[in-house]
Amino acid sequence: MGAQLSRHAGRHPVMTSEEAGSAPPASAVARLATTARLLVCCDFDGTLSHLAEHPSAARPVPGAVDVLDALGSLPSTWAAVVSGRALSVLAPLASMPPHVTLVGSHGTEYEPGVIAALGPGERQLLDEIVAESEKIVAGTPGTLIETKPASVAVHVRNAPRDLAAGILEGIRTGPGRRRGVHVTEGKEVIELGVVHAGKGGAVEELRSRSDATATLFVGDDVTDESAFAVMSGEDVGVKVGIGPTLARWRVSDPVAVVELLAQVLEERRPRVAEHPD
């Protein structure tokens, strides 16, 4: 495990949908491809997979698994999927090979069944906020409560529009305000955790493990912004789809993500063949 790298210089301001750039230019891809130790991280839902009406229906788009496997198989190159999903759910959906590291629950799960230890108070708090969330949802059609090892997520993507906002506000101002609860909001979902976590921290941990000299992070959700916030120097942050973002670059959809990853692979493969160290 390498020393953790400092990543505080050269961050970019928040850009609106109108201000955001296009896909990374060839020069940025080339710099990534020629870095000594490259870390490639992608979100799953909305990034490697199209958003699905039901979370269990999400699958990687064609080519996503293959290109990440190929990148992760290169010398001095690491590939990872960093998701808010519990690892037990992410693993069978993503179907990634061993060369691709899976990180679940916004950076609290790096191996199946291994998560930051919960004390008795945290376990009790988690049980309580799950119960409170279930009462707020109270059978509202189109909602889904997802219980994870250290959090509970309430999904409202398929709920009636006149009810979805009220449910999110009820979670936010109810169990979300309890002491010791960490709130993370995404697209049509709100998550309450009893362990502090974030994708930015997950990226920093993966950097530490790989001693990466440059990082590519691709994500589509509000929860990916903490990862974009730690991009600097030769790093490349890429937002998928519309919306304000800290990422400098933007692509349209998961198919475009695969195309970008293929470009990085094409550029990097001959470089590491010439310089395997």
Side-chain angles (χ1 to χ4, degrees):
M1 183 180 296
Q4 188 164 1
L5 303 180
S6 175
R7 299 283 178 171
H8 298 293
R11 294 178 184 171
H12 303 289
V14 176
M15 295 187 291
T16 66
S17 297
E18 293 75 18
E19 296 170 329
S22 58
S27 58
V29 174
R31 286 194 297 271
L32 277 175
T34 56
T35 196
R37 296 175 298 281
L38 175 62
L39 172 63
V40 177
C41 299
C42 296
D43 178 33
F44 181 67
D45 295 278
T47 300
L48 297 175
S49 165
H50 292 296
L51 293 174
E53 287 191 7
H54 194 282
S56 64
R59 295 293 185 277
V61 297
V65 174
D66 290 341
V67 72
L68 279 176
D69 183 33
L71 281 165
S73 301
L74 293 177
S76 302
T77 310
W78 293 264
V81 176
V82 182
S83 173
R85 287 182 183 259
L87 202 54
S88 61
V89 175
L90 175 65
L93 291 182
S95 301
M96 293 293 165
H99 285 116
V100 181
T101 299
L102 296 182
V103 181
S105 299
H106 300 285
T108 56
E109 290 185 284
Y110 288 84
E111 298 175 32
V114 178
I115 193 168
L118 300 185
E122 291 168 324
R123 286 194 294 270
Q124 180 178 345
L125 178 59
L126 179 59
D127 290 342
E128 291 173 357
I129 62 176
V130 169
E132 291 175 26
S133 298
E134 289 173 342
K135 288 181 181 180
I136 292 170
V137 169
T140 304
T143 58
L144 173 67
I145 292 183
E146 181 185 6
T147 303
K148 305 179 185 181
S151 64
V152 57
V154 179
H155 301 262
V156 297
R157 179 173 294 123
N158 298 315
R161 294 299 84 191
D162 59 337
L163 299 179
I167 289 174
L168 293 177
E169 182 65 11
I171 298 293
R172 189 182 300 117
T173 60
R177 287 190 174 175
R178 295 191 56 166
R179 184 183 298 274
V181 172
H182 305 277
V183 180
T184 302
E185 299 198 43
K187 293 179 179 178
E188 306 289 346
V189 60
I190 185 167
E191 185 163 345
L192 309 180
V194 297
V195 173
H196 181 68
K199 293 183 181 179
V203 170
E204 294 285 30
E205 172 64 20
L206 291 169
R207 278 178 174 152
S208 175
R209 295 183 179 199
S210 62
D211 198 20
T213 51
T215 299
L216 168 64
F217 185 88
V218 190
D220 76 303
D221 208 343
V222 177
T223 58
D224 297 309
E225 292 301 314
S226 66
F228 294 139
V230 299
M231 298 290 102
S232 67
E234 299 300 318
D235 296 339
V236 173
V238 181
K239 166 81 171 179
V240 183
I242 62 173
T245 183
L246 288 168
R248 184 173 183 178
W249 311 106
R250 187 187 299 271
V251 295
S252 59
D253 55 30
V255 173
V257 173
V258 174
E259 293 172 353
L260 172 61
L261 295 176
Q263 291 171 16
V264 176
L265 175 64
E266 182 179 2
E267 289 275 353
R268 186 158 178 81
R269 182 180 278 142
R271 189 271 170 193
V272 295
E274 295 173 4
H275 307 281
D277 295 334

